[in-house]
Amino acid sequence: VTRVLVVDDDPSLVKALRIGLTARGDDVVIAHTGADAINQVALTNPDLVILDLGLPDLDGLEVCRRIREFSRVPVVILSAYGDERRKVEALDGGADDFITKPFGMAELEARLRVAVRHAAARDGDGGAASGSTVVGNLEIDHVHHMATLGGVQLHLTGREFDLLSYLALHAGKVCTHHMILKDVWGPGYGEESNYVRVYAHRLRRKLGDDEGVTLKTVPGIGYQLVVDPQ
Amino acid sequence: MPSTRANGTTPERAVMGGAVALIGLVALALAMLPIRTHLTVAAPALVFVIPVILGVVVGGFAPGAVGALAGFLLYDLLFLPPYGRLTVQSPQDWIALAVYVAVVLVVARVVTNLQSARQEADRRQQDSTRLFELSQALIGDSTRAQLLDHIAETVQAVFTPRWTALVLPVDGPSGESEGPALAVVASAGAALSDEDRASLIDGGGQTRSLGMMDGSAPSRVAVALVASNRPVGLLVLHDVQFARQDRSLLGTFANQAALAVERAQLLDQALRSRLLEEIDRWRGAMMGAVSHDLRTPLASVKAAVSALRQDGAITSPADRAELLELIELQSDRLARLVTNLLDMTRIESGALSLQPADIAFDELAGEALDAVSGLVPPDRITVASPPDLPLLAIDHVLISQVLVNLLENAARLSPDTSPIRIAAQPVDDPAVPLVEISVADDGPGIGAHDRERVFEMFSQNSGGGRAGLGLAIAKAFVEAHGGTIWIDPGPTTGARVVFTVPRAARRP
């Protein structure tokens, strides 16, 4: 059973999500305000948070930041069409994925599955601390700077390896161009999204399009490394 | 002011100077007459210099010349023997006479030159003061109209023509197609007659021949105002007396005026583009608010429908019923919003006219309660009104919508089970035929600085949550009835929105 915290101030959308998610077998917790949402994360320890950006009391971005101060729970942002800038800010601020209103339940559920699965994997192996990261059939050996896909070694340049290991560490999360540049290229970078495009293209070629992991482009936002569902 | 523009001295001053010289000469001659045998040859000559110089100081060179002649005659006749005759005895006396005349004439010349130099300096001083004042005024942040008036008035004051007119290109009433037409935008001095105007501009807005200093009477001077190699206008002085120096002064004035006019035109353009920007921003914000309010119910409908369509997802009949009800209510909300938006734009453009009819307040409240019954449980809402409340003379469709919007907001922004109170009462002043209706809730309330803003089309209360279009629509509908709507600043908890509507003439 997955416990989902739904944060939105529109009672009818909350009701539709509650019924839809409960029928799927989730345990649904509701918050109508940002302050309540932060409390509920601390109190009910949800497996996932669905967070609307436009709340009556606190800005959704602020709510996301405050949740990140004490919890690694995956946060999926509900954003309105045309809210691109705020969406990117939320992802930079620690949100994992976003979905644009209006959306269908099937799409929402797919996003939730990805977020939950990757969060579980991330929490399980403890990331780079253990020396290696496994995402589907992709294995990254941080100590020896080696990556294997289905047991076959990938031939990567230094930067390609850095990018792949960063995306693997944040598998399932939508990483914005800005985040990637700052964390992989260095603090002096941030606007040169064409660099990321070039390397993402090379990585994708080397990863191939077999079963396993996929490097997804999120148009205008960034990249997301996801495990293909079996 | 006009007299100072003339060169040299006036005839009056010359006559006065002559009088001073002559009277002084005669008086001194009479005074010295009894003792003339005791005086040397030179003494009267020296004495006679004084009144003549005084005359020059007062009246310029002409009185000096007259005084010199008179002094010469008096000296010769009365003080050089033989007395009473023009003949002169000794060569020594000839020398005295000649020296006297020479000294007086030379001194008169020098004094006159000094005086006219001083007058010229004064005039220049005045010119530069004028110029300074003009440029000060032109730099100041006055409106374009003030600026143009000021230019015309200053030119009028300095050059004293019969009238001064400033002709500028203005946007023709027929729009851009014919290009700008010329118009007299400012004038000073005597009022311009229709013929005067016609002589500057003909029907099509083209300038006529302006008689540029061609000697034809009355003389008229026109100066083009040129800034950045581009003519910006024309300054016309009608019936003006011009000295040579005045031409360059007028040129300087024209340059100053041209720069100021150009600057004013640029300022106008800047203002206009800022206005357009503002309109763009407003339009963007309005589109944002409209799309947010339309999308919110749409998001619920889509989520509910897609949940229902998932195979085998929703198995409980109660869940199915609940989702279907939600879809219906949200579709209604969407439909209502679209109707409201259309009504509002039609009211604002004047296309929708009100259909006022007499209706009891209870009936109106009932209509609103029915409309929100799906969103707000009826037991949360209380309705209070005095039994003798007059009927309302309103378009009940629009005003019940106002109530619905206020109830929706109240329900959304206050705790789930807290009461919402609707009340009505006649306004305190019985002379005012209005009824005050209020909706109060126990929500977080509205901060003082947001009380005006929440009624704007794109307002967002300070917390970040959108107040939506509800209040903007309510405001438009209430104002269409000649009423007003405001947030009661009184209560310390919750929000209380109050609006007034007209009451019917007859009692219920």
Side-chain angles (χ1 to χ4, degrees):
Chain A
V1 176
T2 311
R3 179 172 297 153
V4 182
L5 172 62
V6 176
V7 190
D8 198 315
D9 64 331
D10 180 28
S12 33
L13 182 65
V14 169
K15 188 193 266 185
L17 292 184
R18 179 174 54 72
I19 295 171
L21 294 175
T22 309
R24 201 183 68 145
D26 292 339
D27 176 12
V28 179
V29 184
I30 307 280
H32 289 294
T33 64
D36 193 19
I38 295 164
N39 287 337
Q40 293 292 343
V41 171
L43 291 174
T44 63
N45 193 24
D47 301 303
L48 188 85
V49 178
I50 299 175
L51 175 65
D52 184 44
L53 280 183
L55 294 173
D57 59 338
L58 285 173
D59 187 42
L61 298 174
E62 180 62 23
V63 175
C64 189
R65 263 195 296 274
R66 293 212 203 160
I67 290 175
R68 274 288 165 271
E69 282 171 13
F70 64 91
S71 171
R72 295 180 63 185
V73 59
V75 174
V76 175
I77 295 290
L78 292 187
S79 71
Y81 168 79
D83 233 2
E84 300 301 312
R85 195 178 49 76
R86 281 159 56 77
K87 193 154 71 187
V88 170
E89 280 177 46
L91 291 169
D92 282 344
D96 291 85
D97 202 350
F98 64 89
I99 186 162
T100 305
K101 291 183 188 176
F103 52 83
M105 285 306 289
E107 191 195 352
L108 177 68
E109 283 170 13
R111 300 287 179 101
L112 301 187
R113 264 199 307 275
V114 168
V116 170
R117 186 170 60 231
H118 286 286
R122 198 168 57 203
D123 292 345
D125 68 14
S130 72
S132 71
T133 306
V134 179
V135 180
N137 58 354
L138 174 72
E139 189 173 347
I140 311 265
D141 182 343
H142 297 285
V143 178
H144 300 102
H145 267 239
M146 262 170 46
T148 55
L149 186 67
V152 182
Q153 191 180 341
L154 294 171
H155 297 282
L156 301 174
T157 66
R159 183 82 77 197
E160 285 167 5
F161 177 82
D162 289 346
L163 177 59
L164 184 61
S165 67
Y166 177 82
L167 290 168
L169 278 173
H170 296 89
K173 175 178 161 52
V174 175
C175 300
T176 64
H177 295 133
H178 184 75
M179 288 169 62
I180 295 172
L181 279 164
K182 271 185 60 179
D183 293 344
V184 177
W185 267 257
Y189 295 84
E191 305 305 321
E192 302 86 346
S193 54
N194 52 318
Y195 293 7
V196 186
R197 286 203 179 88
V198 170
Y199 278 88
H201 180 70
R202 292 188 195 163
L203 265 189
R204 195 173 282 143
R205 235 179 23 215
K206 292 185 178 176
L207 288 174
D209 39 31
D210 303 336
E211 296 287 289
V213 292
T214 307
L215 179 55
K216 269 176 63 179
T217 302
V218 186
I221 308 261
Y223 295 92
Q224 181 186 27
L225 191 69
V226 290
V227 180
D228 300 325
Q230 265 75 54
Chain B
M1 190 70 52
S3 61
T4 63
R5 299 286 325 160
N7 277 316
T9 46
T10 60
E12 301 90 67
R13 290 188 67 90
V15 169
M16 217 162 80
V20 166
L22 292 179
I23 292 167
L25 282 170
V26 171
L28 288 172
L30 289 175
M32 288 188 295
L33 209 52
I35 53 165
R36 61 181 171 183
T37 49
H38 304 288
L39 294 172
T40 63
V41 173
L46 286 174
V47 173
F48 280 162
V49 171
I50 296 167
V52 179
I53 299 306
L54 285 176
V56 170
V57 170
V58 173
F61 186 74
V66 172
L69 182 63
F72 173 86
L73 291 174
L74 282 174
Y75 186 34
D76 187 5
L77 291 174
L78 300 179
F79 296 92
L80 294 178
Y83 300 137
R85 299 187 35 210
L86 281 172
T87 48
V88 176
Q89 279 182 339
S90 69
Q92 190 181 251
D93 294 349
W94 273 119
I95 292 170
L97 263 178
V99 168
Y100 169 73
V101 170
V103 166
V104 167
L105 287 180
V106 168
V107 171
R109 187 74 260 169
V110 169
V111 170
T112 311
N113 284 350
L114 273 178
Q115 272 188 328
S116 63
R118 205 191 65 220
Q119 280 175 349
E120 175 67 16
D122 280 354
R123 203 179 54 78
R124 284 181 184 280
Q125 171 71 29
Q126 267 180 7
D127 289 351
S128 58
T129 308
R130 280 286 178 184
L131 263 175
F132 177 70
E133 283 169 2
L134 182 70
S135 55
Q136 283 291 95
L138 300 189
I139 287 166
D141 242 345
S142 45
T143 66
R144 184 166 175 271
Q146 282 172 344
L147 188 82
L148 300 174
D149 282 345
H150 196 91
I151 293 171
E153 272 157 22
T154 309
V155 170
Q156 177 71 26
V158 173
F159 298 97
T160 62
R162 196 152 67 76
W163 50 254
T164 304
L166 197 52
V167 181
L168 292 186
V170 292
D171 289 335
S174 51
E176 301 295 314
S177 57
E178 291 177 25
L182 288 172
V184 177
V185 292
S187 66
L192 271 71
S193 67
D194 287 347
E195 294 90 76
D196 288 335
R197 280 178 193 280
S199 71
L200 290 171
I201 297 155
D202 70 12
Q206 302 302 308
T207 41
R208 291 265 177 91
S209 163
L210 289 161
M212 308 278 278
M213 292 292 278
D214 56 1
S216 64
S219 62
R220 176 183 286 187
V221 177
V223 188
L225 306 181
V226 179
S228 318
N229 290 326
R230 198 168 58 87
V232 293
L234 206 57
L235 189 62
V236 183
L237 286 76
H238 184 74
D239 200 359
V240 63
Q241 299 303 320
F242 243 23
R244 191 173 41 80
Q245 308 95 304
D246 290 341
R247 296 220 59 146
S248 64
L249 182 63
L250 182 60
T252 314
F253 264 58
N255 286 342
Q256 291 267 357
L259 287 174
V261 167
E262 192 194 34
R263 181 171 161 276
Q265 284 172 348
L266 291 176
L267 206 66
D268 270 5
Q269 279 172 14
L271 273 178
R272 206 169 307 154
S273 62
R274 209 160 69 203
L275 184 70
L276 286 177
E277 251 171 53
E278 195 67 7
I279 289 174
D280 261 9
R281 199 182 61 78
W282 186 86
R283 193 173 289 155
M286 193 195 77
M287 288 309 293
V290 169
S291 69
H292 173 269
D293 277 35
L294 291 177
R295 217 187 308 273
T296 303
L298 204 56
S300 324
V301 170
K302 167 109 183 177
V305 168
S306 60
L308 284 171
R309 271 172 52 87
Q310 276 183 313
D311 287 338
I314 311 290
T315 46
S316 141
D319 282 353
R320 293 187 70 85
E322 209 171 340
L323 286 177
L324 287 170
E325 189 199 3
L326 184 151
I327 292 165
E328 183 173 17
L329 286 173
Q330 292 302 310
S331 312
D332 289 348
R333 185 173 159 199
L334 207 50
R336 213 163 45 230
L337 198 64
V338 171
T339 315
N340 277 345
L341 280 173
L342 284 177
D343 282 352
M344 186 170 72
T345 39
R346 277 155 65 201
I347 282 180
E348 284 181 350
S349 68
L352 179 76
S353 55
L354 297 182
Q355 312 278 326
D358 292 358
I359 183 175
F361 170 69
D362 291 337
E363 206 178 323
L364 177 79
E367 199 176 321
L369 288 187
D370 282 348
V372 296
S373 59
L375 303 169
V376 193
D379 54 356
R380 272 184 75 183
I381 304 175
T382 61
V383 181
S385 64
D388 59 343
L389 189 73
L391 291 174
L392 311 175
I394 54 171
D395 186 321
H396 72 100
V397 176
L398 298 185
I399 295 299
S400 75
Q401 192 54 55
V402 172
L403 271 180
V404 167
N405 290 355
L406 299 185
L407 289 172
E408 263 181 2
N409 274 351
R412 193 160 52 84
L413 296 170
S414 61
D416 280 350
T417 53
S418 64
I420 298 170
R421 298 170 294 276
I422 309 178
Q425 62 179 76
V427 294
D428 290 338
D429 185 353
V432 179
L434 292 174
V435 170
E436 201 174 281
I437 301 175
S438 65
V439 175
D441 66 52
D442 291 338
I446 296 167
H449 60 288
D450 282 331
R451 282 182 193 135
E452 294 285 326
R453 236 160 41 83
V454 288
F455 293 106
E456 287 168 18
M457 184 74 86
F458 43 84
S459 75
Q460 225 174 349
N461 68 32
S462 50
R466 279 181 193 275
L469 290 173
L471 287 176
I473 291 171
K475 182 169 190 261
F477 287 0
V478 167
E479 285 177 353
H481 283 80
T484 46
I485 184 165
W486 68 94
I487 308 291
D488 184 0
T492 48
T493 58
R496 183 167 174 266
V497 188
V498 190
F499 65 95
T500 54
V501 288
R503 67 172 192 228
R506 67 185 177 86
R507 296 248 141 194

